[in-house]
Amino acid sequence: MTDLALSPNRPLELAERRRFLALRKLAAHRSFKIGLLIVSVLVLAAFIGPWLTGIDPTSMRIRNKFKPPSDQFLMGTDNYGRDVLTRVLYGGQLSLGIGFFVAILSGMAGTIVGVVAGHFRALDAYLMRVMDALLAFPAILVAIGIGAALGPQATSIVIALAVAYVPRTARVVRASTLVIREMEYIEAARVSGASNLRIIVKHILPNCLGPLTVQLTFVFAYAILAEAALSFLGIGPPPPAPSWGNIIAEGRDHAVEAWWIMLFPGIAISLAALGMNLLGDGLRDVLDPRLKIES
Amino acid sequence: MLRIVVIRLIQAIPVLLLIAVMAFILMHLIPGDPAVVIAGADAGPAAVERIRHELGLDRPILEQLLNWLVNLGTGDFGRSLVLNQTVLSAVGERLPVTMSLAMLSLAITLPIGVFLGILAAYFRGSWIDAAVMTLALVGVSVPAFWIGILSVILFSVTLGWFPSAGYAPLLADGPGAWLSSLIQPAFILSLFQIGFLARMTRSGMLDVLDQDFIRTARAKGVSEWRTVGRHAFRNALVGVVTVAGIILSLLIGGSVVIEQVFALPGIGRLVVQAILARDYPLIQGTMLLFGFAFVVINICVDLIYLWVDPRVRYD
C-alpha cells in the first residue's frame, strides 16, 4: 500500500528538486546575475523612466537644438531640439518590445516546426529543407526582404525578424525532440495508449523548454541589434516615434558636430544586447540538458 | 571525393529551387505596381497597361513563376528597372567590392578569433580568460554600424588615418589604396565574428583539453606548445570549420550594413538601393544570387570538414 502511494510521487519530487537546484544555481551564477541586473534596469528605465521625466519625446523646440549634454539635458538635444534622454527612454519601449515579440513569435513558430519535424519523421526532410533554404540567407537579408515587402512599421519588423530567426529556434527544438522521442518513457507512454498530441504536449515540449529558452535569449539580443541595423538602412520603424535604431539613423548626419545624439542610444543597444547575452550564457550553463542532481 | 561533391550538388537542387520560389513570392508581396514605377509619375493608364503587358505582369501568377524559373535555367536573371543593366552585370560589377571586404574580414577574423579562443581556454579561469571573454561578449553585443560611425569620426575625421568612405579598386588604384580603403570597414565588420569565433573556439578547446590523449601527450613529454598547438587544436579545428561557414554568411550579411556606413559600392548597397527604388527584378535577382552563394559556401564547408576530420563520412 505504502509503495503504491509513494511511487507516483517520486518523479514529481525529483522534478521539483531539479527546478529548485536550477534556481539556486542561477542565483549563484555571476554572469546571469549581471545580465539580469542590466536587463532589469533597462526595462525599468524604458517603461517607468518616461513617466518620471514627463517630457514628450516628439516635442520640438528649435531654440534648443544641438545642445550638448548638460544639467538640463543630460544627453543633450537633437537637430529639432528634442531631449535625447527622453527619446532614448521611449525608444527603449519600442526596441525592447520588438526584441521581446520577435523572441516570442520565433519561439512559437520554431517550436511548431521543430516538434513536427522531430516527431513526425516523414515530414522532417521537407520541413528542414525549407528551413535550410531560409537559413541560407543571413537573417538580416531575410528581414530586409520581408521588411521591404510589408512596409516600414514596427509590426512588419517583428514579423520579418521572427521569420528570419525561425530556422534557429526550429533546429534547437527539433534536436531536443529527436533525443527525447527515443527515451524509454516515450515508448511507455505510447504503449499505454497516449496520443501523439499528448506525448508532444506532456512529455516532449516540457523537455525542449530549457534549450529553447537559452536560444530565445540570444534571439532577443540579435533582434535588438537587427532592429537598429534595419533602422539605419531606412527599413526600420519610421520616425518620429523613437526607437534606439532610428535615433542613431537620424543622428548620423550630425555625428561629427553633435556626437551625443547617436552615442547614447548606441550605448543603450549595446547594454541591452550584452545583458541578454549574459542572461543566455547563465541559462545555458544551468539549463543544460546534462544537468545532474548532486547529492 | 568527387562522388560526394556530386551528391551534395544534387542535394542542393531542391534548396536552390525553394530559394528561387521564395524570392519570387517575396517580391509579389511588396505593395505597389512595378509597371507604375517604370512608367513614371505622369504616365497615362494606357502606357502603364502597355508596360505591364511587356513585362508579362498581366499573366496568371503561376505562369509568371514558371517563366521566371525557366529563364533562370537559361541563366537569365532579369533586367534592372532603374539601372538599365541586366541583374547579372549589375551584380558582377559590384561583386569584387563585397568579396574584397568579406575576404579581408575573414582574414582578420580567423587568426584573431582562434588565437583568443585558445588563449582563453588554455588559461581557463584566470584573468586572461575573463578578459578575452569580456572582449568577445562586447564584440557580439555592440552594433557594428554604430561603432563604424564612431570609428570614422575618430580615425578618418579627427586623425585622418583612413579615408572615411569609398572604394579603391585593387587593379586600378593599386594594393596600397585598396587596403587603406577597406581596412577600417573590414576590421569593424570582423568585431562581431571575432567575438563569436573566440567563444566557439574556447568551448571547443575546453572539451578537447580534458581528454585523455592530451594527458598522455603531456605525460610522455611532448612540449606544451606542441600539445596545445598540434594535439588539442587539430581536434578543436573541426568545430572551427563548422563555424567558418556561419561566419562567412554572417560577414556577407554584415557587409550590407557596413557598405552603407562606408559608402562602398558593393552588393549590399545594391540591394538596399534596389529596395528603396522598388526595383523588383533587381531585388529578386540579387536575393537569389545571395541564396545561391550561401548554398555553395555550405557545400564548400562540408568538403573542408571532410578533409579536416577523416572520421566524418557522408554516405
Side-chain angles (χ1 to χ4, degrees):
Chain A
M1 189 64 199
T2 42
D3 277 338
L4 273 176
L6 264 176
S7 54
N9 278 334
R10 275 193 53 213
L12 200 78
E13 263 176 24
L14 204 68
E16 260 172 12
R17 257 182 83 198
R18 216 172 249 266
R19 211 164 300 150
F20 174 72
L21 270 170
L23 278 178
R24 213 173 54 182
K25 267 195 172 173
L26 271 182
H29 198 286
R30 198 171 57 174
S31 63
F32 180 83
K33 281 192 289 187
I34 300 173
L36 190 66
L37 182 73
I38 294 175
V39 172
S40 320
V41 168
L42 285 173
V43 169
L44 283 179
F47 289 91
I48 297 178
W51 182 67
L52 292 177
T53 60
I55 306 172
D56 180 359
T58 55
S59 85
M60 305 180 188
R61 287 192 194 76
I62 300 299
R63 220 165 2 124
N64 283 339
K65 72 176 182 181
F66 294 135
K67 284 274 184 346
S70 64
D71 289 348
Q72 196 194 349
F73 306 105
L74 284 176
M75 295 184 184
T77 63
D78 68 4
N79 49 324
Y80 294 115
R82 296 174 296 195
D83 181 35
V84 175
L85 172 63
T86 308
R87 287 179 67 73
V88 169
L89 291 175
Y90 274 97
Q93 295 183 3
L94 196 52
S95 293
L96 292 170
I98 287 176
F100 179 76
F101 283 110
V102 168
I104 294 298
L105 219 62
S106 71
M108 292 198 303
T111 302
I112 294 172
V113 175
V115 161
V116 169
H119 192 71
F120 302 101
R121 308 294 299 142
L123 293 171
D124 188 29
Y126 302 102
L127 282 173
M128 290 330 271
R129 276 287 163 277
V130 177
M131 292 295 114
D132 282 349
L134 207 53
L135 204 64
F137 296 97
I140 189 89
L141 269 180
V142 177
I144 289 174
I146 300 174
L150 298 179
Q153 306 142 21
T155 45
S156 58
I157 298 306
V158 170
I159 295 171
L161 289 174
V163 171
Y165 293 124
V166 162
R168 282 151 223 260
T169 50
R171 281 191 160 196
V172 170
V173 173
R174 175 177 172 268
S176 312
T177 306
L178 284 180
V179 173
I180 298 158
R181 72 188 298 277
E182 298 303 326
M183 298 280 185
E184 266 173 36
Y185 65 85
I186 298 293
E187 207 177 322
R190 186 166 294 132
V191 168
S192 58
S195 65
N196 274 325
L197 189 68
R198 188 182 160 84
I199 290 176
I200 289 175
V201 173
K202 291 282 287 185
H203 301 295
I204 295 184
L205 282 186
N207 285 302
C208 294
L209 221 53
L212 182 65
T213 312
V214 174
Q215 188 66 19
L216 290 186
T217 51
F218 292 126
V219 166
F220 196 131
Y222 293 148
I224 291 172
L225 293 173
E227 180 273 316
L230 289 176
S231 292
F232 174 72
L233 296 176
I235 322 172
S243 80
W244 287 338
N246 74 21
I247 303 173
I248 299 181
E250 283 190 80
R252 195 219 169 165
D253 298 336
H254 319 287
V256 177
E257 64 277 13
W259 46 267
W260 52 87
I261 303 173
M262 59 159 292
L263 182 74
F264 294 108
I267 293 176
I269 294 171
S270 309
L271 279 177
L274 188 75
M276 289 312 296
N277 278 326
L278 285 169
L279 268 181
D281 283 351
L283 285 172
R284 185 176 49 200
D285 288 350
V286 174
L287 294 182
D288 192 291
R290 284 165 295 178
L291 173 73
K292 295 176 198 76
I293 294 195
E294 292 105 282
S295 49
Chain B
M1 192 70 178
L2 188 72
R3 212 173 64 94
I4 294 163
V5 176
V6 172
I7 291 174
R8 295 293 295 160
L9 284 176
I10 292 173
Q11 282 176 342
I13 291 173
V15 177
L16 293 177
L17 215 69
L18 251 169
I19 292 174
V21 174
M22 285 210 271
F24 180 85
I25 294 172
L26 202 60
M27 280 317 100
H28 282 262
L29 284 175
I30 295 191
D33 187 345
V36 175
V37 176
I38 304 166
D42 36 48
V48 172
E49 200 50 51
R50 191 172 46 78
I51 290 170
R52 185 172 294 144
H53 182 73
E54 275 171 18
L55 291 173
L57 292 172
D58 52 353
R59 304 217 191 93
I61 199 133
L62 270 175
E63 195 186 325
Q64 288 186 46
L65 173 64
L66 217 66
N67 272 340
W68 193 57
L69 292 177
V70 169
N71 285 343
L72 286 180
T74 61
D76 179 5
F77 279 70
R79 225 185 141 70
S80 158
L81 303 179
V82 181
L83 292 175
N84 193 30
Q85 255 181 324
T86 62
V87 171
L88 270 183
S89 80
V91 169
E93 229 168 61
R94 289 158 181 82
L95 193 63
V97 183
T98 303
M99 287 308 278
S100 304
L101 181 62
M103 287 305 147
L104 193 61
S105 278
L106 196 65
I108 296 172
T109 303
L110 285 181
I112 299 183
V114 167
F115 177 73
L116 288 178
I118 293 178
L119 204 66
Y122 189 72
F123 296 103
R124 165 180 11 179
S126 74
W127 66 269
I128 298 178
D129 185 16
V132 169
M133 282 303 103
T134 309
L135 211 69
L137 206 61
V138 170
V140 295
S141 303
V142 173
F145 71 93
W146 178 68
I147 282 288
I149 300 171
L150 293 181
S151 159
V152 166
I153 296 176
L154 178 62
F155 292 109
S156 303
V157 177
T158 311
L159 298 171
W161 289 357
F162 304 106
S164 64
Y167 174 70
L170 179 61
L171 294 177
D173 296 5
W178 174 79
L179 199 63
S180 99
S181 76
L182 283 180
I183 192 77
Q184 197 182 358
F187 193 75
I188 300 292
L189 183 53
S190 303
L191 289 176
F192 182 94
Q193 279 69 242
I194 289 176
F196 181 68
L197 184 59
R199 282 157 66 104
M200 294 308 244
T201 310
R202 176 178 178 272
S203 65
M205 282 296 281
L206 284 181
D207 284 344
V208 177
L209 284 173
D210 277 341
Q211 306 269 323
D212 285 343
F213 68 87
I214 295 298
R215 206 178 36 189
T216 310
R218 287 204 174 113
K220 74 176 187 189
V222 175
S223 74
E224 198 58 21
W225 175 248
R226 235 180 116 79
T227 309
V228 175
R230 276 195 71 94
H231 294 255
F233 178 61
R234 241 199 104 87
N235 283 281
L237 195 62
V238 178
V240 174
V241 172
T242 323
V243 182
I246 302 175
I247 286 182
L248 200 55
S249 139
L250 281 172
L251 280 174
I252 296 177
S255 71
V256 175
V257 181
I258 291 298
E259 282 172 14
Q260 206 69 12
V261 175
F262 291 90
L264 298 170
I267 298 179
R269 207 168 154 78
L270 184 70
V271 174
V272 174
Q273 282 168 347
I275 286 173
L276 295 180
R278 300 235 169 280
D279 190 339
Y280 304 92
L282 190 57
I283 309 174
Q284 203 170 10
T286 40
M287 283 292 194
L288 190 62
L289 285 169
F290 265 121
F292 285 7
F294 292 118
V295 170
V296 173
I297 290 173
N298 283 326
I299 293 178
C300 292
V301 168
D302 280 352
L303 294 178
I304 299 174
Y305 198 69
L306 205 68
W307 174 64
V308 171
D309 188 353
R311 286 169 302 183
V312 179
R313 282 283 164 262
Y314 296 113
D315 286 313

